[in-house]
Amino acid sequence: MLRTMIQLSLKILIFLAGIFVSGSFSTASDVNCDQLKSVQDVVSCALKAHPDARLAQASLEQGQYLEDSAGQRPNPELNSQAVLGNTAIGDRFTYLEFNLAANFELGGKRSSRIEKANAEFDQRRAGAVGAREQVFISTLLSLYRTRQIQSELEVLKGALESFARIQKQYRARPRLNPEQTASLLIFEIAEGDYKLRLAPLETELDRQVRGLELALGKPFTPRPELLPERKKTWPRISDSLLSEPISGSQVQGALADRKFAQAQLELAQSGSWPDLKIGPTFERQNQGFSSFNAVGLNFSLPLPLFHFNGAERAYAHLGLGKAELSLEATRKEAQDQREYFFKRYGGAVKALENSITPRELDKKHLEVELLFDRGLLPGTLVVEIHRQMVDFTKIQNEQELAAIESLARFNALRGRLFEEQL
């Protein structure tokens, strides 16, 4: 009765773990993926539809049967033999034998198999969480980058419109002085440069959209409400978080690997014990007018004369040591990554907060063009302000992407990627 209750409790825990992994990040099951309305809807649907997330979930669902499979006891064996013939004096002879044997696994083999199955399920669970984290981060970054590319294209196209307008003004004049001629040439070169920059951005935009379509499993149109807005304020990360224990999917996976190696060792140790097969035997023998019936006991027990499974135990012991080294290295690497993303995030946010806003930059650009139209500035300054706008937009987008990625990966290393607001 107690064993049945324990098995039932373990099954309930496994079921709840599957629900947790499949239901992380908001109420993804409640989102209508055919009518996306927000960034959260896009990410939630990607967590359901992305091939990597689906494969991870399928592996997790498959793993729910590992314990039941490992806990199956060997079926009893039935063997018999029948002999028909005649004796030397011509009497008819028959012999019939039935042997039934139950296999009793000694040394805790069954419990070791169950422990190994549970460890493998933990490995699959950690892998599923890691896959979902990667889908979450990659989808979010793709949404950010899509909006950024649109802004960079807008700046480039705005510059091209300004250059075309100014060149039209120059060409409308009957004569140009040397300075004006040089300015016209500079505008033509700058226009050619910016046209060259359009193609790779448009290609990258297409690649980002295709990646989002793969994640969602359907066509995706990057409407404004489906793309994250530029943050006005960024979350603050306290230094105290650096002292928290690492609990991300990387470390959880390494812990599961160590648990699996420990279970392998216990299973190898249990392999030092033979299996006992024992059961009843029935014999019937007829010869002429006499008959013989007998009931007895049969058993078989392998004799460990050649080995005690020492090679497999040594192999498993070294595997456990390897898993412990891997766990230690994974923890150290995760700590280093956490500190790196913490510093990277702080630097990126500081740069963003100390820089001027795109609106302020556009205002300064309009002031420069107004002064040029009044004949108070040379054309080279107009080209320079547009170059600065293009470079500023690109660098600002790079810092924004670095900040959001660092924040996401920092939270993932804390095991709180799906709980924290990004």
Side-chain angles (χ1 to χ4, degrees), residues 3 44 68 100-101 131-132 139 143 149 201 228 233 247 261 285 303 315 330 336 342 381 384 389 400 402:
R3 178 173 296 179
S44 296
D68 290 340
L100 180 64
R132 290 172 60 81
T139 303
L143 292 173
I149 295 173
L201 279 177
T233 58
S247 59
Q285 179 177 327
L303 299 178
Y315 181 86
T330 301
D336 292 341
F342 175 80
L381 290 181
E384 177 63 19
M389 288 182 64
E400 182 188 35

Side-chain angles (χ1 to χ4, degrees), residues 183-230:
S183 295
L184 179 59
L185 293 174
I186 290 173
F187 279 117
E188 291 175 348
I189 294 173
E191 182 182 34
D193 177 31
Y194 285 15
K195 285 181 178 179
L196 288 175
R197 298 190 189 193
L198 285 175
L201 279 177
E202 291 172 344
T203 301
E204 185 184 358
L205 178 61
D206 180 71
R207 179 166 58 85
Q208 294 292 343
V209 172
R210 288 179 183 273
L212 290 167
E213 290 178 342
L214 173 65
L216 296 170
K218 60 185 63 182
F220 176 75
T221 302
R223 305 192 307 271
E225 66 271 18
L226 302 182
L227 301 177
E229 298 179 353
R230 190 176 297 275

Side-chain angles (χ1 to χ4, degrees), residues 16 37 117 153 180 242 268 306 420:
L16 292 176
K37 298 179 181 180
L153 287 172
Q180 292 171 338
L242 294 175
F306 298 119
E420 299 291 339

Side-chain angles (χ1 to χ4, degrees), residues 5 8 18 66 112-113 155 173 205 211 226 229 231-232 237 245 266 268 281 286 353 387 391 410:
M5 292 178 64
L8 179 61
L66 285 169
S112 297
R113 286 200 309 270
V155 171
R173 297 177 182 179
L205 178 61
L226 302 182
E229 298 179 353
K231 287 183 177 295
K232 297 180 180 179
I237 300 180
E266 293 176 0
T281 293
N286 293 319
E353 290 178 343
R387 184 191 65 78
D391 292 343
F410 183 86

Side-chain angles (χ1 to χ4, degrees), residues 22-36:
S22 63
S24 298
F25 186 69
S26 185
T27 54
S29 59
D30 298 334
V31 175
N32 184 357
C33 295
D34 293 325
Q35 296 180 354
L36 300 173

Side-chain angles (χ1 to χ4, degrees), residues 64-76:
Q64 294 178 5
Y65 295 95
L66 285 169
E67 182 183 351
D68 290 340
S69 176
Q72 293 181 140
R73 300 181 184 276
N75 289 320

Side-chain angles (χ1 to χ4, degrees), residues 142-205:
S142 290
L143 292 173
Y144 267 92
R145 185 58 191 146
T146 299
R147 190 255 295 154
Q148 290 178 350
I149 295 173
Q150 291 178 344
S151 69
E152 292 177 19
L153 287 172
E154 184 179 347
V155 171
L156 282 175
K157 291 177 180 178
L160 287 172
E161 291 176 0
S162 295
F163 293 163
R165 178 180 62 82
I166 294 172
Q167 288 180 69
K168 184 177 180 181
Q169 292 177 359
Y170 275 127
R171 292 191 178 99
R173 297 177 182 179
R175 296 187 62 181
L176 299 176
N177 59 37
E179 180 183 351
Q180 292 171 338
T181 302
S183 295
L184 179 59
L185 293 174
I186 290 173
F187 279 117
E188 291 175 348
I189 294 173
E191 182 182 34
D193 177 31
Y194 285 15
K195 285 181 178 179
L196 288 175
R197 298 190 189 193
L198 285 175
L201 279 177
E202 291 172 344
T203 301
E204 185 184 358
L205 178 61

